Amino acid sequence: AMYYIVNSSKGVSSVFLAKWIGVTQKTAWKLGHAVREMMDPGVEGEPILSGTVELDEKYFGGKPRHKVGVRYKSGKGTKKQPVLVAVKRHGPVRSALIDSDKSAELRPWVERFVQKDAHLMTDENHSYRKIGQQYASHQWVKHAMEEFARGDVHNNTAESFSSLLERAKVGVFHYMSTKHLKRYLNEIGFRWDHRTSVDKVTKKGKRKTIMVPLPVMDMFRSLIVNAIGRQLRWKNNGGISQLQIAAAQV
């Protein structure tokens, strides 16, 4: 199960995982979440982002059923679950479930994820302007005016991570409950972090930096290290819960 999940590009559904390893779908579902729990670096394993760091919010949820003559709100105007994304260019990503895009909600997460000497890149959300005053610099683009990049100023890398979440939901899992969404974020983030940058020359002779996955065994080693002290168990109602194991027991 660990091999199939780590070696996939967007994840593996519990239905296919069950077929491949010869267990029930219910067992494969629990195994999948156990592997995703191992993909969480935890507070101690989270490198603080530095350099150029992009911030963005992703509103996660399904599309409303179509009704003639009804226009639905999008983004922050909905009841969808907001997710904060912080990513270093050509580097690791960190994400968190948040309650809103207000500065009081975003500030603790940004301070946890990003070093104060970093250069922030965001959209025009005013909450980031208050937070950005604590950092080396803060620049933003105005998406409302169809400005998505101004030279090196953009948050397209953060939006790329958000698009991976959407592709995993639409193409693989089809549904991610808010209760377990953090584990799915762990999986996409683990796969993102275990890449390396490679310089490539295009057919037109231009130099381009692309990100390629690390060897599967390197990712496997990182996964096994995070297994220590983590357990998921079935609950009486058929759900799952994480057991907190003391360091002395480990």
Side-chain angles (χ1 to χ4, degrees):
M2 288 188 288
Y3 174 80
Y4 281 128
I5 293 174
V6 166
N7 199 32
S8 64
S9 60
K10 294 193 290 270
V12 180
S13 71
S14 59
V15 174
F16 278 93
L17 185 61
K19 293 179 181 178
W20 293 342
I21 66 176
V23 298
T24 65
Q25 182 272 334
K26 186 178 180 181
T27 298
W29 179 83
K30 178 179 179 288
L31 276 172
H33 281 301
V35 174
R36 294 179 194 104
E37 190 65 42
M38 294 162 59
M39 290 175 166
D40 183 1
V43 176
E44 295 180 356
E46 287 182 343
I48 300 180
L49 307 179
S50 60
T52 300
V53 179
E54 302 179 18
L55 304 175
D56 192 34
E57 320 96 61
K58 163 72 175 172
Y59 291 85
F60 208 84
K63 187 176 181 180
R65 189 179 297 275
H66 175 71
K67 293 184 180 179
V68 178
V70 178
R71 291 191 62 184
Y72 294 98
K73 295 181 180 179
S74 60
K76 65 181 67 177
T78 69
K79 295 182 179 179
K80 296 180 179 181
Q81 173 64 53
V83 175
L84 172 66
V85 176
V87 57
K88 177 181 178 179
R89 285 194 186 165
H90 307 303
V93 65
R94 294 293 170 259
S95 59
L97 304 181
I98 55 178
D99 294 329
S100 69
D101 66 344
K102 304 299 182 183
S103 60
E105 175 71 18
L106 297 175
R107 188 188 303 274
W109 289 107
V110 176
E111 291 177 348
R112 171 177 168 176
F113 292 153
V114 187
Q115 287 184 357
K116 290 299 176 65
D117 60 354
H119 303 274
L120 300 185
M121 301 286 182
T122 69
D123 57 21
E124 66 269 41
N125 187 342
H126 283 269
S127 298
Y128 292 129
R129 301 187 190 184
K130 298 178 183 179
I131 298 171
Q133 295 174 3
Q134 306 175 34
Y135 291 84
S137 68
H138 174 216
Q139 300 183 74
W140 60 88
V141 289
K142 298 180 179 179
H143 289 169
M145 300 180 64
E146 297 187 356
E147 181 188 46
F148 301 100
R150 188 174 65 256
D152 290 334
V153 180
H154 63 79
N155 66 339
N156 294 336
T157 312
E159 291 192 340
S160 295
F161 179 78
S162 298
S163 69
L164 288 179
L165 291 174
E166 195 65 30
R167 289 178 207 162
K169 186 195 76 171
V170 175
V172 180
F173 302 110
H174 306 308
Y175 174 75
M176 301 179 186
S177 68
T178 302
K179 182 178 181 180
H180 301 296
L181 181 55
K182 182 61 176 71
R183 295 194 186 96
Y184 291 107
L185 295 177
N186 292 342
E187 178 179 352
I188 306 301
F190 179 90
R191 200 169 287 117
W192 178 285
D193 289 349
H194 287 76
R195 304 179 304 163
T196 185
S197 58
V198 175
D199 291 332
K200 182 180 179 181
V201 179
T202 65
K203 293 181 180 180
K204 296 183 179 180
K206 295 183 178 180
R207 299 189 66 84
K208 183 179 180 181
T209 300
I210 61 174
M211 306 298 292
V212 297
L214 292 174
V216 174
M217 291 310 298
D218 289 349
M219 291 191 281
F220 217 81
R221 292 187 188 97
S222 296
L223 188 66
I224 295 297
V225 168
N226 284 339
I228 301 173
R230 302 189 184 191
Q231 291 188 33
L232 283 183
R233 295 290 179 87
W234 287 114
K235 296 196 296 186
N236 292 333
N237 62 0
I240 54 176
S241 62
Q242 179 184 358
L243 290 186
Q244 300 293 338
I245 303 176
Q249 292 178 281
V250 176

